[in-house]
């Protein structure tokens, strides 16, 4: 059989007959078992491939191939080759500790494709060999005939060939916030994914009606599969921190390598032994490399993870903590992220009166009209609420007991009608028991309304709900506020409907007809009594408005990228403050318009426009990448399958934990446990705080490393004995990094942090003032340690005593300098003496360990130290105090 295969599987553009011919399908008998088996071999199972995860060994090895760590490994190996086993053992122990910390903290592998595969794991009713049978979705092949009913999850991409009132929730795939009505008519070739009403897509949910469809695509050929390919193709981007740390490490290695070679060469030129000069070069490398930096970065980020968890944000990938603090643009999905993803009635129009409705979501909490002066539930208003509750197939219930969430079963639009009835004191269960349904005309996309028949207080009554343009022409009268029938004022109804639509509301019309007779479309052609209008919308989350304002105050732009309609998207964007009020020229770009833009035009649009509607998954990905090419650090939020590729490609992907799909959660670096956009603002603040603390740590630790390097270079150039040994250097670096430097990770967020603009993405970790301060403190350490070392030797003290003094100079000066680094611009007194008690605890333990290093015989033997007297301690503390005062004066001078 010759098959017509549309370009890119665009089966929506074919008629039912052409689609059946193209797929080689028989809608009555279905495929034979033999033909199905042949097609299964050709197309493969209807499942998505799972991404292979990294083995534990590979994840551990990745911790060892950082540039700074590699230098330590080489230094340790050569030292061991030369027989210096203690030095080599300590160096390699440091390497293993760093690797273990990183391995434990970053153990999760990507599982986005596995989650996508789960979304297809279901059973479905299929016609095979003339019989109806239930099959696992994995066994479906193109050409299979599938039967759909309310509550089914669509098992593959289907071209519908027969549909009766079928509606499907496609929010997770397209971003459409309401159920989509389905039909069988052919559509134009360029119809957007969200508007392809004759297709049912894998992973979406049928909420009402029945249909028969023919499988058009399975596995990776489905729309869900196409998204899985986008996820797999999206690179794992480095965050601003990982990029800067890589650049910083490379710069550091160049400086250290040059100094080590210089030291080795100068020593040889002076006639020193090659072995001694090599050990001096190793000492220089070990001293200049901040061994504690990888562990400090990891632990500081881990502390940020803990803080964010308390603020409803779970971090899956450690560098994402800091990336949030660097964010310049937040691209947010609308449905379920900025909004509740729960349709809510906002306005009623009945009897010529417009009535506002308060409350959001499915919880029946709120009121009609003014809280203190609610309208009486009578006449046209009561009939409108009654019609909405009775002409309805949805259900409303509270899950999880007293403190649980309210949930609807069925169409969200119908669920919203039940909620507004309950707000008015009308419980649909009581109403349905009092006025049971006698007959029903299910919703049909051809007529765009639904009707039900009831007996109301002894009178046969038909209620109809549907599109305004379909019910209004069938009406001849309308209800007044008191329930009387008046001549129909169609122009007034149309004005009210247009006004509601301009606010982004979905507008439903309601009508009734009294009297007996069979319920049929013909019986509803004329003579209806128009009851009123209901305007509903998926409303903004209450805290999202203030969160958007806070982001703008912090210099972070917020952009809405949604699959929903342009009018609805713009209305929500105005309520949230993403764009200005009506009349201020806010611009919306649709997916169809985006498809016409080349890369340069897209880059301009991504910068200028803040609302994008009817956007498809590839376009979300393109927008994120266009913003990144513009130099922005992009955070992308979302909850649907359609958001997953952009979530993975963004500098930081943020998924919703409650309403989000598994695919979105596994593609993201961060998951919000309360699905609240406001939690992103809190996470941005914490991210900025984490970055500040990392800069404080680096500003604190580098003077120690540079100071140690300068001391060794000075000794080599002077032809003198090394003031500190490699083992003593490792003691200083590792003990102070853990007990002093890491205490800066617990620094609270400084005031005014969210009033600063975002850091420019290209800015280095350390600016010029901080580099100058690092050089200043390095020189102070060189002068203090080398000067007191030489003084001790001149006074006739032993080499061990002189080296002990030098080691203690480094540790005590670092301790005093630690307090200077609690704020990089203000006095540590200004941030609160005890706002971070951990710096006091760490300082106390560090000084106690220094006393053990100085006076404990076992430590003296291992580290070649010796006891020193009070005079030496007085000189050490005096120099540390002087260094601290110099740094304080430098801060004051720069702040003038």
């Amino acid at each position: 059989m010759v098959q017509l295969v549309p370009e890119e599987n665009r089966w929506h553009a074919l008629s039912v007959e052409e689609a059946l011919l193209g797929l080689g399908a028989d809608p009555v008998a279905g495929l034979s078992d033999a033909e199905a088996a042949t097609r299964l071999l050709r197309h493969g199972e209807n499942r998505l491939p799972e991404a292979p995860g990294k083995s534990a060994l590979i994840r551990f090895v990745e911790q060892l191939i950082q540039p700074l760590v590699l230098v330590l490994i080489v230094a340790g190996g050569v030292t061991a080759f030369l027989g210096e086993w203690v030095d080599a053992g300590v160096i390699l122990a440091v390497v293993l500790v760093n690797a273990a910390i990183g391995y434990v903290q970053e153990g999760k592998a990507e599982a986005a494709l596995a989650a996508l595969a789960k979304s297809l794991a279901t059973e479905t009713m299929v016609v095979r060999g003339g019989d109806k049978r239930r099959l696992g979705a994995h066994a479906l092949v193109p050409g299979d005939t599938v039967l759909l009913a309310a509550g089914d999850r669509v098992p593959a991409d289907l071209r519908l060939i027969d549909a009766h009132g079928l509606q499907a929730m496609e929010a997770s795939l397209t971003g459409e916030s309401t159920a989509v009505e389905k039909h069988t008519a052919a559509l134009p070739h360029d119809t957007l994914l969200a508007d392809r009403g004759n297709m049912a897509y894998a992973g979406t949910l049928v909420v009402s009606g029945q249909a028969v469809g023919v499988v058009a695509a399975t596995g990776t050929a489905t729309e869900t599969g196409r998204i899985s390919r986008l996820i797999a193709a999206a690179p794992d981007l480095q965050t601003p921190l990982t990029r800067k740390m890589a650049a910083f490490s490379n710069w550091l290695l160049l400086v250290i390598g040059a100094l080590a070679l210089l030291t080795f060469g100068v020593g040889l030129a002076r006639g020193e032994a090659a072995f001694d000069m090599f050990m001096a070069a190793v000492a220089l490398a070990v001293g200049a490399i901040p061994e504690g930096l990888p562990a400090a970065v990891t632990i500081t980020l881990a502390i940020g993870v803990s803080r964010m968890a308390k603020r409803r944000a779970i971090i899956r990938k450690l560098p994402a903590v800091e990336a949030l603090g660097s964010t310049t643009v937040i691209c947010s999905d609308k449905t379920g992220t900025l909004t509740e993803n729960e349709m809510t009635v906002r306005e009623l129009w009945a009897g010529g009166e417009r009535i506002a409705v308060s409350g959001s979501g499915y919880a029946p909490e709120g009121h009609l009209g003014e809280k203190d002066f609610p309208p009486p539930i009578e006449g046209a208003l009561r009939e409108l609420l009654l019609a909405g509750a009775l002409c309805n197939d949805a259900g409303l219930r509270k899950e999880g007991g007293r403190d649980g969430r309210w949930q609807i079963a069925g169409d969200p639009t119908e669920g919203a009608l039940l909620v507004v009835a309950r707000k008015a004191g009308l419980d649909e269960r009581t109403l349905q028991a009092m006025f049971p349904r006698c007959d029903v005309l299910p919703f049909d996309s051809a007529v765009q309304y639904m009707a039900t028949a009831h007996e109301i207080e002894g009178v046969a009554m038909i209620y109809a709900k549907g599109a305004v343009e379909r019910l209004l022409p069938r009406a001849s009268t309308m209800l007044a506020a008191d329930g009387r029938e008046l001549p129909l004022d169609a122009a007034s109804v149309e004005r009210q409907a247009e006004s509601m639509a301009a606010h982004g509301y979905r507008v439903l019309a309601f009508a009734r007809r009294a009297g007996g007779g069979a319920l049929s479309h013909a019986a509803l052609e004329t003579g209806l009594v128009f009851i009123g209008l209901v305007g509903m919308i998926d409303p903004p989350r209450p805290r999202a408005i203030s969160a958007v304002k806070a982001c703008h105050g912090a210099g972070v732009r917020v952009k809405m990228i949604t699959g929903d309609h342009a009018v609805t998207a713009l209305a929500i964007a105005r309520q949230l403050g993403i764009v200005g009020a009506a009349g201020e020229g806010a611009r919306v770009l649709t997916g169809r318009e985006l498809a016409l833009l080349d890369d340069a035009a897209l880059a301009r649009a991504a910068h200028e426009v803040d609302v994008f509607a009817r956007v498809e998954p590839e376009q979300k990905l393109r927008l994120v990448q266009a913003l990144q090419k513009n130099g922005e650090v992009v955070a992308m939020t979302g909850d649907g399958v359609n958001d997953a590729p952009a979530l993975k490609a963004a500098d930081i992907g943020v998924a919703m934990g409650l309403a989000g799909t598994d695919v979105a959660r596994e593609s993201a670096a961060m998951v919000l446990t309360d699905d609240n956009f406001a939690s992103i603002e809190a996470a941005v603040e914490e991210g900025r705080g984490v970055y500040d603390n990392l800069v404080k740590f680096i500003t604190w630790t580098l003077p120690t490393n540079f100071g140690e390097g300068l001391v060794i270079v000075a000794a080599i150039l002077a032809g003198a004995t090394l003031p500190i040994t490699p083992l003593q250097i490792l003691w200083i670096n590792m003990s102070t990094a853990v007990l002093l430097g890491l205490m800066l990770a617990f620094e609270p967020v400084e005031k005014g942090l969210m009033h600063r603009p975002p850091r420019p993405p290209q800015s280095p970790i350390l600016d010029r003032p901080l580099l100058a301060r690092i050089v200043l403190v390095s020189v102070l350490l060189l002068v203090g340690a080398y000067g007191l070392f030489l003084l001790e030797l001149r006074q006739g003290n032993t080499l061990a005593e002189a080296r002990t003094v030098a080691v203690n100079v480094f540790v005590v000066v670092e301790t005093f300098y630690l307090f200077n680094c609690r704020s990089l611009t203000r006095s540590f007194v200004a941030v609160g003496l005890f706002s971070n008690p951990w710096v006091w605890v760490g300082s106390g333990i560090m000084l106690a360990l220094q006393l053990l290093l100085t006076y404990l015989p076992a430590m003296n033997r291992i580290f070649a130290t010796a006891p020193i007297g009070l005079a030496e301690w007085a000189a050490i503390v005096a120099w540390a105090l002087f260094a601290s005062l110099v740094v304080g004066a430098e801060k004051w001078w720069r702040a003038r």
Side-chain angles (χ1 to χ4, degrees):
M1 178 185 293
V2 178
Q3 295 190 8
L4 305 171
V5 182
E7 182 188 354
E8 298 181 23
N9 286 343
R10 300 204 175 203
W11 297 98
H12 63 276
L14 300 183
S15 67
V16 169
E17 294 74 17
E18 289 171 328
L20 290 173
L21 178 63
L23 291 163
D26 182 340
V28 177
L31 299 176
S32 67
D33 289 335
E35 176 64 18
T38 301
R39 296 190 184 193
L40 189 63
L41 288 174
R42 186 189 315 152
H43 297 283
E45 288 192 338
N46 180 32
R47 62 172 90 242
L48 299 177
E50 294 189 15
K54 294 178 184 176
S55 69
L57 178 62
I58 290 175
R59 294 207 313 272
F60 185 77
V61 169
E62 285 180 346
Q63 307 299 321
L64 300 175
I65 58 176
Q66 301 173 51
L68 295 179
V69 177
L70 285 173
V71 173
L72 283 177
I73 291 173
V74 172
V78 175
T79 307
F81 177 75
L82 296 174
E84 300 293 328
W85 297 108
V86 175
D87 291 31
V90 174
I91 292 172
L92 295 176
V94 167
V95 168
L96 290 175
V97 168
N98 276 331
I101 291 171
Y103 174 80
V104 170
Q105 290 292 344
E106 301 191 45
K108 279 196 175 182
E110 286 293 319
L113 298 180
L116 265 168
K118 288 179 191 173
S119 72
L120 290 181
T122 184
E123 284 196 342
T124 190
M125 185 67 74
V126 182
V127 178
R128 282 267 179 98
D131 299 322
K132 294 180 182 178
R133 62 181 81 165
R134 294 198 71 80
L135 288 179
H138 67 278
L140 292 181
V141 295
D144 261 329
T145 301
V146 174
L147 310 180
L148 293 177
D152 288 347
R153 189 167 294 280
V154 180
D157 285 0
L158 309 179
R159 172 60 166 94
L160 300 178
I161 59 174
D162 188 26
H164 300 280
L166 190 77
Q167 292 185 303
M169 284 301 297
E170 297 181 342
S172 67
L173 183 66
T174 66
E176 175 71 66
S177 57
T178 58
V180 179
E181 300 160 10
K182 296 296 182 178
H183 57 82
T184 61
L187 293 168
H189 193 266
D190 62 349
T191 303
L192 294 175
L193 179 68
D195 296 323
R196 296 176 191 170
N198 59 9
M199 300 289 295
Y201 290 108
T204 59
L205 185 67
V206 176
V207 294
S208 65
Q210 301 84 36
V212 179
V214 176
V215 175
T218 60
T220 55
T222 63
E223 289 298 323
T224 303
R226 185 169 56 85
I227 292 173
S228 79
R229 296 196 299 275
L230 290 175
I231 296 173
D236 290 318
L237 291 186
Q238 289 187 312
T239 67
L241 177 68
T242 54
R243 289 194 292 266
K244 290 175 183 177
M245 287 304 296
F248 176 69
S249 298
N250 292 334
W251 172 79
L252 205 56
L253 285 177
L254 286 174
V255 172
I256 293 168
L259 283 175
L261 285 173
L262 176 65
T263 301
F264 189 74
V266 168
L268 289 180
R270 296 174 64 93
E272 302 286 349
F275 175 82
D276 292 339
M277 287 304 96
F278 179 79
M279 290 307 295
V282 168
L284 174 62
V286 169
I289 291 175
E291 293 91 351
L293 184 57
V297 169
T298 301
I299 292 170
T300 303
L301 293 175
I303 291 169
V305 167
S306 176
R307 286 181 174 178
M308 287 187 179
K310 293 175 183 176
R311 301 184 76 169
R312 310 280 186 182
I314 303 299
I315 301 296
R316 295 186 62 249
K317 301 171 185 176
L318 274 184
V321 178
E322 180 277 332
L324 270 168
S326 309
T327 299
T328 58
V329 174
I330 298 174
C331 294
S332 181
D333 180 42
K334 177 186 74 68
T335 306
T337 307
L338 290 165
T339 65
E340 300 276 10
N341 198 16
E342 296 180 349
M343 291 299 289
T344 303
V345 173
R346 283 290 194 223
E347 279 191 358
L348 305 172
W349 185 80
E353 298 177 2
R354 254 174 119 155
I355 301 156
V357 182
S358 68
S360 291
Y362 296 142
E365 299 163 359
H367 54 270
L368 278 60
E370 295 290 334
K371 185 175 182 180
D372 296 327
F373 303 100
I377 309 302
E378 59 186 24
L381 178 57
R382 182 179 182 278
E383 278 296 286
L384 181 61
L385 296 167
L386 191 63
L390 293 177
C391 189
N392 197 312
D393 289 326
L396 178 65
R397 67 187 185 282
K398 192 174 188 179
E399 290 189 344
R402 185 174 179 181
D403 299 321
R405 287 169 55 90
W406 284 90
Q407 301 284 349
I408 61 110
D411 187 311
T413 299
E414 293 191 323
L417 296 172
L418 301 182
V419 174
V420 72
R422 288 212 193 183
K423 289 177 181 178
L426 302 177
D427 188 310
E428 76 281 357
R429 293 166 299 184
T430 304
L431 295 175
Q432 289 163 3
M434 291 173 60
F435 313 123
R437 183 182 294 183
C438 305
D439 200 357
V440 61
L441 281 177
F443 180 87
D444 188 334
S445 58
V447 295
Q448 293 189 345
Y449 67 77
M450 169 188 180
T452 56
H454 305 264
E455 188 172 317
I456 307 294
E457 297 169 351
V459 178
M461 185 72 71
I462 295 172
Y463 288 117
K465 78 166 188 289
V468 178
E469 62 271 20
R470 292 305 180 98
L471 290 184
L472 190 59
R474 300 166 187 259
S476 54
T477 59
M478 61 189 295
L479 287 185
D482 59 5
R484 292 178 297 113
E485 291 187 16
L486 301 174
L488 178 68
D489 184 353
S492 174
V493 174
E494 288 170 348
R495 281 196 304 272
Q496 295 298 328
E498 289 169 3
S499 174
M500 285 184 176
H503 284 85
Y505 295 157
R506 182 180 187 189
V507 184
L508 284 180
F510 289 82
R512 75 179 190 187
R513 179 170 186 171
L519 178 59
S520 66
H521 292 298
L524 299 177
E525 281 293 329
T526 59
L528 296 185
V529 180
F530 194 83
I531 302 172
L533 303 171
V534 173
M536 62 180 69
I537 198 168
D538 179 15
R541 291 181 176 273
R543 289 177 55 203
I545 298 171
S546 59
V548 169
K549 185 177 180 181
C551 287
H552 286 165
V556 179
R557 293 183 68 183
V558 179
K559 294 179 182 287
M560 180 191 291
I561 304 178
T562 178
D564 214 338
H565 296 281
V567 173
T568 305
L570 185 58
I572 294 293
R574 285 195 173 116
Q575 292 178 47
L576 289 163
I578 292 175
V579 298
E584 293 186 15
R587 185 180 169 200
V588 183
L589 271 182
T590 65
R592 192 181 295 277
E593 293 167 324
L594 285 174
L596 302 176
L597 301 180
D598 59 23
D599 289 345
L602 181 68
R604 287 194 300 273
H607 175 72
E608 295 168 0
V609 180
D610 289 328
V611 183
F612 300 88
R614 232 53 184 152
V615 176
E616 298 197 5
E618 297 97 327
Q619 293 172 329
K620 290 188 177 187
L621 184 59
R622 279 189 73 203
L623 282 168
V624 167
Q625 292 170 338
L627 286 165
Q628 289 170 331
K629 287 178 183 175
N630 286 344
E632 307 284 3
V633 177
V634 182
M636 172 75 193
T637 78
D639 63 349
V641 174
N642 60 328
D643 299 317
L647 285 172
K648 188 179 179 192
D651 294 282
I652 167 108
V654 183
M656 305 297 111
L658 294 177
T661 59
D662 286 344
V663 184
R665 285 193 292 269
E666 296 296 341
S667 296
M670 186 175 92
V671 178
L672 301 182
T673 59
D674 61 354
D675 286 15
N676 200 323
F677 183 86
S679 296
I680 299 173
E681 180 240 328
V684 168
E685 183 179 29
E686 288 293 347
R688 290 187 175 189
V690 165
Y691 186 85
D692 270 10
N693 290 346
L694 281 173
V695 173
K696 290 172 185 177
F697 175 85
I698 294 170
T699 305
W700 171 84
T701 195
L702 286 188
T704 305
N705 301 109
F706 289 169
E708 290 164 344
L710 289 175
V711 164
I712 291 167
V713 170
I716 297 298
L717 293 177
T721 305
L722 293 181
I724 43 179
T725 67
L727 200 54
Q728 289 170 344
I729 289 171
L730 277 174
W731 166 265
I732 296 169
N733 289 358
M734 293 309 298
S735 62
T736 57
V738 172
L739 293 170
L740 298 181
L742 280 181
M743 300 305 107
L744 292 172
F746 295 97
E747 281 296 317
V749 172
E750 290 192 43
K751 291 180 181 178
L753 193 63
M754 287 299 282
H755 296 297
R756 300 183 202 165
R759 295 185 312 278
Q762 296 78 21
S763 66
I765 292 178
L766 300 172
D767 57 19
R768 288 186 178 180
L770 290 182
L771 287 172
R773 186 178 303 165
I774 288 167
V775 172
L776 172 64
V777 178
S778 300
V779 172
L780 287 170
L781 282 167
L782 164 66
V783 173
Y786 198 37
L788 289 180
F789 170 78
L790 293 176
L791 182 62
E792 286 295 299
L793 292 179
R794 285 202 186 99
Q795 290 176 349
N797 293 317
T798 65
L799 178 61
E801 290 172 326
R803 281 176 168 168
T804 304
V805 169
V807 169
N808 279 303
V809 167
F810 273 98
V811 172
V812 178
V813 170
E814 280 186 83
T815 304
F816 277 68
Y817 180 50
L818 177 72
F819 288 87
N820 290 114
C821 288
R822 289 192 59 205
S823 174
L824 298 177
T825 56
R826 298 183 294 161
S827 163
F828 76 89
V829 177
V831 299
L833 278 174
F834 300 102
S835 58
N836 180 7
W838 290 105
V839 294
W840 294 96
V841 172
S843 299
I845 296 173
M846 187 70 244
L847 294 175
L849 285 179
Q850 282 307 112
L851 291 175
L852 292 176
L853 180 80
T854 305
Y855 296 108
L856 192 67
M859 299 284 275
N860 295 156
R861 285 193 298 273
I862 295 172
F863 290 98
T865 55
I868 58 176
L870 287 177
E872 283 79 11
W873 280 113
I876 291 168
V877 172
W879 187 257
L881 181 61
F882 172 74
S884 181
L885 291 173
V886 169
V887 173
E890 182 261 349
K891 278 191 198 178
W892 172 82
W893 180 76
R894 290 192 183 278
R896 286 182 309 161

